[in-house]
Amino acid sequence: MSVLYTTVGLIAVYIYVSFVSLVWDGLDRKLVARMQRRVGPPLLQPFYDFLKLVGKESIIPRDSNKMFEASPILALAASITLLAYTPIGFGPILATKGDVLVFIYLLALIAFIRVIGAVSSGSPYAQIGAQREVIMLASREAPMMLGLFAILWRLAKLDVEKPFSLETLYQHNIWEIGTPLTIVGSLVLLIVFIFWLASEIEVGYFNIPEAETEVAEGPMAEYSGRDLALFKLSNSLKEYASASLVVAVFFPWGLSQYLGISGIEAMLVDLVFHTIKVFVILFVSMSLFRAITGRLRVTQAVNLFWSRILPASMIGAILLAIDILGVIG
Amino acid sequence: MNVLPWLIITPLFGAFSMPVISLLGGKFREYWAVIVSGLTLGIAAKVFYTVWKSNEILVYTLGDTNPIGNGVKFPIRIIWEVDLFGALLALTVTFVSFLAILYSLEYMKHDTGLDKYYTLTLVLELGMIGVVITGDIFNFYVFLEIMSIASYALVAFRNDTWEGIEAGVKYMFVGSLASSFILLGIALLYGQYGTLTMAYLAMKIAENPTLISKVALAFLIGGLLFKSGAVPVHMWLSDAHPAAPSSISAMLSGLVIKAGGVYAIARIIFGIFNPGLHGYLKTFGMPAFNLNTLGWIIIFFACLTLVIGNAMAVVQNDMKRLFAFSSVGQIGYILLGFGIGIVAYGDKIGEIALTGAVYHIVNHAVIKGLLFFIAGAVIHQVGTKNLNELSGLARRMPFTTISFIIGATAIIGLPPLNGFASKWLIYESSAMYNPILAVVAVIGTVFSLIAYTRVLFTFLGVESEKVKMVKEPGTAMIVPMLVLVIIILVMGIFSWQISDKIMLPTAKMLEQLNGEYIMALLKFIGGG
């Protein structure tokens, strides 16, 4: 029976998140338009885009191979799987100890499938985009992993049943430890995560692989019709999942315990509240960032990650470590 | 009826009857080779099942029912002693050999002298089976030589190409040197203790650990590290594997360096110089070896091997050379597992490390078999193994590409496939034992990720002129690849069940916390 419940839960989450993440995309476009004194598209524009793309003919380049057609489906499949491991106001559907590794792996896998699709298209633009994507992937994951593992390691010290599971984020959070070192360390890591999120969803500084004006949409250059629609959807899901991680790590508080409700209503309330927090995080990391910054060159972005953000992540991790090892006071 | 002797008799008979059978014509010798290796696989499966079911070590004496001689109190006859580790290796060896022979049916079609080829392949299989089932150290040497000589001949099988001859000569010189080290080690042990039975030798060494036996151990381990292709003595391997026919590369990389290399190292350390026995002696203040030094030496070479092997794989332009260096790298993981198993002997950590090492031997045999089959298919169909000329194969050879993607992800160790579980056990144990070792292991994996991603991109990229007209190979080459792909996927899905049900008991039996290897012999003598 639990398998059945899990499946139903996953499908429900998938439908909900698809809807919400597309709504957010519309909201984002509207907000950015307002920041630039435009009217902008209607809120439901991404839905129209999606439906239109699904209805259009998919053009398969002559030089492409089977992976070109397979990778949109694989990317969407990986995104849906990712949702089963994403904390969404309550613990992930398939929470086990160590599931954080699966989360990181799936997140990287989605990017990697995009790369495979791009390389398989046989287009030089797509290949350049793919190379950039791989470079960015290699640069951005290290600081995030360091920060995430440091936080989960710190939380694992506080008597949790499933260490290194994203579920522990709802049992304890990093602020409740309350010592000055953890607070400073967590704030540093928050900045790291905001930058990581921006590069994960490729906006602002980090809109490098897709760079419309330089390499004509990069990895997506040859995709059209239904394949492109699937990729857009999987990107939106990934966006939501990545932002959910940041929310769960730093702002895991739910409303239900304050309202004194439990059971299925509590889950729904937490889910909605979580979505609002995700929107806020995405507003900072995506809309604002997109509106006020331009694109970096790929070398500059790599440099930024290895010489600014990775050290920041190290500092954050070391502060957390110093706190628990009790070197000071 | 005891099936154990048939494990040797079948391939031996097959190999020796091959010249006669091939008088009947080309098709017959091929079917004969397939039938013989298939039968051997069946027997190995039976032996494995017997040992696994009873969880007891199988002992067999050649020539009599009891190895004890007339009037003496110690074993004088050759015994075969098969524990779960040996049986598992025998199963792996026979399985991959069977697929390699099946694969050769089409792959070797254009070569001449095929009766010799099939004879040598069966002899190679025979040698490896002998190495993994024997309980007598000189018998072990003989089988090791059978295996080595067959593989020298097979590496140089295409003697009209310069690289085959060059690699064969190099392999032969290096291999003979290594074999002479091993023989010297065995001679020293025999001179000191007067026995060649491994289990009995273990007792004698524990009674009287001398400097000579230490020197002998050094010779044995040195020679076997040569045979397993550990850095810095891996140079023969990176020439021999690309030069051999691909079906043979699959056996060399998947089996020979395991059976004649890491298996033998593990057997000699845990069987003859048992760390548990010596630790036990030490608690009574008796003279005993401290095997920790040896463990650290092995860990040192393992770290070197897995970093250098995988790093060298990144810069290769030749597909088979890349796979060969990757084999060196994977041997590093196995040695790391065994090394930690020695230094953390009797611990939970040591047990996890040994489980990982044993598991990785099987996984790597399967995965590398697949990858070399793929390389063979590419060479057979396109005629080049230079990665720069092979761009865009995916369009014309989709099945080969999909198999490659599965093999590559499995060997890097990505979660849904079988390489993950074994590598995870090794990472976990090394992280628990000493985090620096885990960092080294992860560096090795990063290199292997880069190396295989490069190959993947050449498979997927824009089509080059060379690959415009190619098509998939025939059924006889597709089927072995398909079987291995299915095995990889199934082992990946049930990886932790396999780890608990098969690999953990194997590691426990190898570790011999209660001296099972020696006790099995004593029980056998007492009962006989």
Side-chain angles (χ1 to χ4, degrees):
Chain A
M1 272 315 269
S2 75
V3 178
L4 188 67
Y5 281 130
T6 312
T7 319
V8 171
L10 181 56
I11 291 169
V13 169
Y14 165 53
I15 292 168
Y16 175 77
V17 174
S18 314
F19 178 75
V20 170
S21 60
L22 287 178
V23 168
W24 166 254
D25 282 349
L27 204 57
D28 168 61
R29 289 170 70 175
K30 194 89 188 164
L31 287 168
V32 173
R34 285 302 157 105
M35 287 177 215
Q36 298 164 342
R37 301 199 178 183
R38 292 186 281 119
V39 179
L43 188 60
L44 295 182
Q45 185 61 39
F47 290 91
Y48 306 137
D49 290 349
F50 182 79
L51 291 175
K52 179 123 190 182
L53 281 175
V54 168
K56 285 214 167 224
E57 183 194 8
S58 281
I59 296 162
I60 311 296
R62 192 178 47 215
D63 290 336
S64 69
N65 59 51
K66 285 278 179 294
M67 289 310 288
F68 180 79
E69 288 162 82
S71 54
I73 298 162
L74 290 176
L76 186 62
S79 314
I80 297 170
T81 318
L82 178 65
L83 291 180
Y85 292 94
T86 308
I88 38 170
F90 40 87
I93 299 171
L94 296 179
T96 58
K97 69 177 183 194
D99 63 7
V100 60
L101 286 177
V102 185
F103 186 89
I104 294 171
Y105 167 66
L106 283 171
L107 212 51
L109 188 67
I110 296 168
F112 198 73
I113 290 171
R114 260 161 66 97
V115 169
I116 285 186
V119 173
S120 303
S121 70
S123 149
Y125 288 111
Q127 297 217 345
I128 291 172
Q131 283 170 9
R132 291 176 169 199
E133 178 115 22
V134 170
I135 294 167
M136 287 305 295
L137 182 68
S139 313
R140 73 171 176 240
E141 296 298 326
M144 183 274 279
M145 282 196 243
L146 183 60
L148 190 55
F149 288 146
I151 288 171
L152 287 172
W153 171 71
R154 181 67 189 88
L155 294 180
K157 298 282 176 192
L158 309 165
D159 189 36
V160 290
E161 56 190 279
K162 291 178 184 167
F164 288 91
S165 163
L166 293 174
E167 203 177 51
T168 59
L169 295 170
Y170 290 104
Q171 288 156 4
H172 296 284
N173 65 62
I174 199 72
W175 308 110
E176 78 184 29
I177 298 161
T179 54
L181 278 176
T182 46
I183 288 176
V184 176
S186 307
L187 285 174
V188 173
L189 288 180
L190 179 60
I191 296 166
V192 170
F193 268 81
I194 293 286
F195 271 92
W196 167 76
L197 182 59
S199 80
E200 185 71 49
I201 55 189
E202 290 168 5
V203 292
Y205 280 165
F206 308 109
N207 182 15
I208 296 165
E210 290 212 341
E212 291 118 46
T213 45
E214 283 169 55
V215 288
E217 285 276 328
M220 296 297 107
E222 296 295 330
Y223 279 104
S224 54
R226 201 199 55 188
D227 292 341
L228 186 59
L230 292 184
F231 261 129
K232 293 255 184 220
L233 181 61
S234 87
N235 264 0
S236 299
L237 296 183
K238 191 179 101 171
E239 213 170 271
Y240 187 89
S242 318
S244 289
L245 178 72
V246 180
V247 167
V249 170
F250 293 100
F251 315 105
W253 306 285
L255 269 185
S256 57
Q257 58 199 30
Y258 299 109
L259 298 179
I261 48 178
S262 62
I264 198 90
E265 293 91 351
M267 285 172 99
L268 286 176
V269 169
D270 281 341
L271 182 59
V272 172
F273 188 56
H274 175 80
T275 309
I276 294 167
K277 287 185 290 187
V278 165
F279 281 6
V280 173
I281 282 287
L282 281 175
F283 176 70
V284 176
S285 188
M286 187 171 168
S287 310
L288 276 182
F289 204 61
R290 188 153 79 92
I292 62 178
T293 60
R295 184 184 316 128
L296 293 180
R297 282 200 302 274
V298 69
T299 49
Q300 289 170 327
V302 170
N303 208 359
L304 176 71
F305 267 106
W306 289 106
S307 69
R308 302 279 188 284
I309 296 178
L310 184 64
S313 179
M314 281 176 183
I315 290 169
I318 289 169
L319 287 177
L320 290 182
I322 288 175
D323 181 62
I324 193 159
L325 298 175
V327 183
I328 302 169
Chain B
M1 193 186 69
N2 198 340
V3 288
L4 198 52
W6 294 95
L7 204 51
I8 294 293
I9 292 170
T10 318
L12 199 62
F13 176 66
F16 275 71
S17 59
M18 186 60 77
V20 183
I21 296 285
S22 59
L23 293 177
L24 293 171
K27 278 275 166 262
F28 281 96
R29 69 174 170 226
E30 281 158 18
Y31 293 142
W32 185 237
V34 171
I35 291 167
V36 167
S37 57
L39 266 181
T40 320
L41 171 62
I43 296 165
K46 175 86 169 74
V47 169
F48 174 75
Y49 184 73
T50 315
V51 179
W52 181 71
K53 195 80 191 163
S54 65
N55 206 23
E56 271 174 23
I57 297 176
L58 223 57
V59 189
Y60 177 80
T61 313
L62 266 74
D64 204 346
T65 50
N66 197 311
I68 298 284
N70 273 340
V72 286
K73 285 273 192 300
F74 55 87
I76 57 163
R77 295 196 171 80
I78 291 174
I79 62 159
W80 287 343
E81 207 171 338
V82 186
D83 65 355
L84 207 44
F85 187 34
L88 186 68
L89 260 281
L91 183 64
T92 317
V93 164
T94 48
F95 178 66
V96 178
S97 304
F98 173 65
L99 291 181
I101 285 175
L102 207 60
Y103 182 85
S104 315
L105 296 186
E106 188 181 337
Y107 180 73
M108 295 299 287
K109 215 163 48 185
H110 312 293
D111 290 72
T112 53
L114 286 183
D115 46 339
K116 298 177 193 71
Y117 171 81
Y118 287 110
T119 311
L120 283 168
T121 313
L122 286 174
V123 169
L124 180 62
E125 186 183 354
L126 161 84
M128 288 189 286
I129 297 171
V131 166
V132 299
I133 67 171
T134 189
D136 183 282
I137 197 160
F138 192 74
N139 198 230
F140 159 75
Y141 174 74
V142 171
F143 278 122
L144 190 74
E145 276 301 88
I146 292 175
M147 180 194 91
S148 305
I149 291 169
S151 50
Y152 306 150
L154 282 168
V155 166
F157 185 74
R158 286 178 172 160
N159 54 11
D160 52 337
T161 59
W162 66 268
E163 55 172 356
I165 298 293
E166 193 224 352
V169 168
K170 193 184 235 179
Y171 184 16
M172 190 177 71
F173 276 100
V174 172
S176 312
L177 191 65
S179 300
S180 60
F181 276 10
I182 295 166
L183 188 58
L184 186 57
I186 294 170
L188 286 173
L189 281 179
Y190 185 55
Q192 183 75 37
Y193 299 108
T195 181
L196 287 169
T197 308
M198 285 189 193
Y200 191 60
L201 195 57
M203 288 162 67
K204 297 298 272 185
I205 290 175
E207 278 171 21
N208 178 24
T210 57
L211 181 65
I212 303 277
S213 56
K214 246 184 199 176
V215 175
L217 178 64
F219 273 115
L220 283 169
I221 297 294
L224 290 170
L225 282 177
F226 258 99
K227 295 266 175 191
S228 54
V231 172
V233 282
H234 64 291
M235 65 290 176
W236 61 269
L237 193 151
S238 51
D239 284 334
H241 290 205
S246 288
S247 44
I248 298 306
S249 313
M251 284 174 80
L252 282 178
S253 170
L255 308 173
V256 169
I257 54 177
K258 313 278 171 40
V262 285
Y263 168 83
I265 290 175
R267 176 59 75 222
I268 281 172
I269 291 171
F270 290 101
I272 301 179
F273 295 83
N274 189 339
L277 195 57
H278 287 274
Y280 184 70
L281 288 175
K282 195 166 279 170
T283 54
F284 289 99
M286 280 190 266
F289 288 144
N290 186 0
L291 287 171
N292 271 359
T293 323
L294 177 67
W296 278 108
I297 290 170
I298 289 181
I299 289 175
F300 173 73
F301 282 116
C303 291
L304 218 57
T305 307
L306 70 86
V307 172
I308 292 179
N310 283 321
M312 287 294 286
V314 178
V315 297
Q316 301 303 321
N317 284 324
D318 179 325
M319 193 174 181
K320 284 179 80 177
R321 222 177 151 75
L322 189 150
F323 292 164
F325 272 112
S326 155
S327 285
V328 174
Q330 304 301 319
I331 285 290
Y333 288 103
I334 299 170
L335 283 177
L336 182 63
F338 282 130
I340 294 171
I342 298 166
V343 290
Y345 185 86
D347 232 341
K348 188 82 191 144
I349 299 172
E351 201 170 278
I352 295 172
L354 279 183
T355 313
V358 172
Y359 202 173
H360 204 59
I361 289 179
V362 178
N363 281 343
H364 181 243
V366 174
I367 301 168
K368 236 349 132 34
L370 174 65
L371 287 177
F372 272 111
F373 285 167
I374 288 163
V378 170
I379 293 167
H380 190 257
Q381 299 305 114
V382 189
T384 176
K385 50 186 176 163
N386 187 338
L387 285 172
N388 296 333
E389 298 172 8
L390 279 176
S391 174
L393 268 176
R395 196 166 147 74
R396 311 282 169 186
M397 296 174 81
F399 172 76
T400 314
T401 309
I402 296 285
S403 312
F404 174 76
I405 292 176
I406 290 171
T409 35
I411 205 153
I412 297 162
L414 295 185
L417 299 163
N418 63 353
F420 172 69
S422 56
K423 277 200 176 178
W424 179 258
L425 290 170
I426 294 172
Y427 294 147
E428 192 186 355
S429 58
S430 50
M432 287 198 289
Y433 190 72
N434 188 337
I436 295 169
L437 298 179
V439 172
V440 174
V442 170
I443 290 172
T445 303
V446 171
F447 280 128
S448 111
L449 175 70
I450 298 170
Y452 281 99
T453 310
R454 257 190 77 226
V455 186
L456 182 63
F457 285 173
T458 47
F459 263 91
L460 294 177
V462 186
E463 252 180 342
S464 70
E465 282 304 314
K466 264 228 144 91
V467 304
K468 280 264 170 14
M469 301 302 286
V470 301
K471 55 181 195 298
E472 288 281 1
T475 330
M477 280 164 86
I478 293 279
V479 167
M481 281 151 71
L482 189 64
V483 170
L484 286 176
V485 166
I486 292 169
I487 291 275
I488 288 174
L489 292 176
V490 171
M491 280 182 78
I493 293 166
F494 299 105
S495 48
W496 297 110
Q497 285 88 334
I498 291 174
S499 171
D500 285 346
K501 287 269 185 323
I502 297 172
M503 304 303 166
L504 190 64
T506 309
K508 275 188 176 151
M509 220 186 228
L510 173 68
E511 198 179 17
Q512 306 183 59
L513 287 173
N514 307 312
E516 285 92 345
Y517 199 69
I518 300 167
M519 295 311 281
L521 177 73
L522 294 180
K523 206 169 126 196
F524 183 66
I525 293 168

